[in-house]
Amino acid sequence: MSEDKNKREDQEKKHANELDEETLFVVSQTFKALSDPTRIRILHLLCEQEMSVNQIADTLELRQSTVSHQLRFLKNLRLVKYRRAGTTLFYSHDDEHVIDLLQQTINHALHH
């Protein structure tokens, strides 16, 4: 009887450590966001300061439509946020955990 109880407890622990579907989806989408060089460049830039779409486009030498498209993708994942000043939107990063992951990955790449 004690052996059955131990088996049940082991199974419960195993299930508690499994990731649910929503968590798996969010994690995979976050890595998808970080797998694109343009999105990496935008997030890296927004680590330093808040910027408008035009400022980002000018700094990274990208078309405004490209930047807007990528910012929409990042905003939907809650990786960036914006504030409105008149008619201009200023973007900044919105998830310190992801920024830390990005910085660590950049540092890893620089050490190789």
Side-chain angles (χ1 to χ4, degrees):
M1 189 153 196
S2 175
E3 190 175 316
D4 287 340
K5 184 178 178 184
N6 287 341
K7 270 187 178 178
R8 273 197 313 268
E9 287 176 358
D10 288 344
Q11 286 177 339
E12 287 173 8
K13 286 180 188 177
K14 180 183 173 195
H15 290 297
N17 290 331
E18 290 180 7
L19 297 173
D20 62 63
E21 290 298 316
E22 182 180 349
T23 301
L24 286 170
F25 179 75
V26 171
V27 169
S28 69
Q29 290 299 298
T30 301
F31 278 106
K32 179 180 177 180
L34 295 176
S35 71
D36 181 84
T38 301
R39 289 191 289 264
I40 292 170
R41 292 175 69 207
I42 291 170
L43 280 172
H44 186 255
L45 189 60
L46 294 178
C47 289
E48 305 299 322
Q49 64 183 10
E50 169 183 86
M51 298 182 93
S52 70
V53 173
N54 287 336
Q55 290 171 319
I56 296 167
D58 290 344
T59 302
L60 298 180
E61 298 179 347
L62 296 169
R63 292 189 344 248
Q64 181 183 354
S65 61
T66 300
V67 172
S68 293
H69 173 76
Q70 298 301 344
L71 286 169
R72 190 175 318 109
F73 184 90
L74 294 168
K75 185 179 168 297
N76 287 340
L77 291 173
R78 292 181 292 174
L79 300 180
V80 298
K81 60 185 176 184
Y82 68 86
R83 70 171 179 85
R84 183 179 299 274
T87 59
T88 304
L89 300 178
F90 289 93
Y91 287 85
S92 59
H93 68 83
D94 193 26
D95 191 327
E96 199 65 43
H97 297 104
V98 173
I99 296 305
D100 290 344
L101 177 62
L102 176 62
Q103 293 291 17
Q104 288 178 10
T105 306
I106 290 169
N107 290 338
H108 173 75
L110 293 173
H111 285 100
H112 280 82

